[in-house]
Amino acid sequence: MEETTVKKKYVVSYNRETCTGALKCMGIHPELWKKDSDNKAVLRNGAQSSHDPKLFTRVIDENELKSYKESALICPVYAIDVLDFDTAKSVLNINPTKEKDKDNVPVIRAHYDSRKEWQMDPKGFFTVKIFPEEQMIRARYYGEDHALKFVIEGSNSEEIYNTIMREKLVSTFQHAAYVGNELMKAEIAMKKNLPYVQDDPLP
Ligand code: SF4
């Protein structure tokens, strides 16, 4: 006899009143979310709660859990929750700080001394240049032997730094942050018709 496995169930709960319409959920999972005429999210195949009209819910199984959890975790205002069907407890495992408590967390004053704290990434380095006539930014990647290995080109910083990460061309947090910062400066300069010189502040 064939064995049937019962899939665990979860409830996606979406609060339309809390939603501010940033549409990040839809950005990563358009198959689960769409927007309405108020630019708020709509839970696809969701049903409006009869006892609380601002809530929309949908029962899902574990195959869909990952995508809904990602949608919930990217929502900046926690308008989405995913609950265990049996216990009605959230499975997001987060403990967001309430607005009223945010002033009570410790503040770390930022500082940086490049002479003492800068460290060479053993993976190599990048040069960044803009090509406004093509609306293109090009990042040249030099390996540890200082030989040019790749040119990564794109029209915005996000696609370039994500490509750099995907290709694993940086190996330290400091270098990743540096490259992201330079690429964003390059993108702003290109879009605002400003000169861009790597490592210099924007004019
Ligand atoms: S990410 Fe959150 S706030 Fe933004 S549209 Fe989706 S549910 Fe609404």
Side-chain angles (χ1 to χ4, degrees), residues 31-76:
E31 76 284 10
L32 308 180
W33 306 91
K34 58 184 180 178
K35 67 173 174 178
D36 63 16
S37 53
D38 293 330
N39 248 3
K40 292 210 178 204
V42 175
L43 172 61
R44 290 184 190 269
N45 302 315
Q48 191 165 23
S49 161
S50 51
H51 60 90
D52 189 346
K54 65 179 182 290
L55 290 184
F56 292 78
T57 59
R58 184 179 172 217
V59 177
I60 60 163
D61 65 35
E62 56 202 65
N63 292 339
E64 301 165 287
L65 180 62
K66 182 171 176 285
S67 306
Y68 280 104
K69 273 174 104 173
E70 285 169 355
S71 306
L73 291 172
I74 204 170
C75 176

Side-chain angles (χ1 to χ4, degrees), residues 14-15 18-26 33 39-41 71 74-80:
Y14 160 62
N15 187 325
T18 308
C19 173
T20 51
L23 296 175
K24 288 180 180 285
C25 52
M26 203 180 89
W33 306 91
N39 248 3
K40 292 210 178 204
S71 306
I74 204 170
C75 176
V77 291
Y78 306 105
I80 305 165

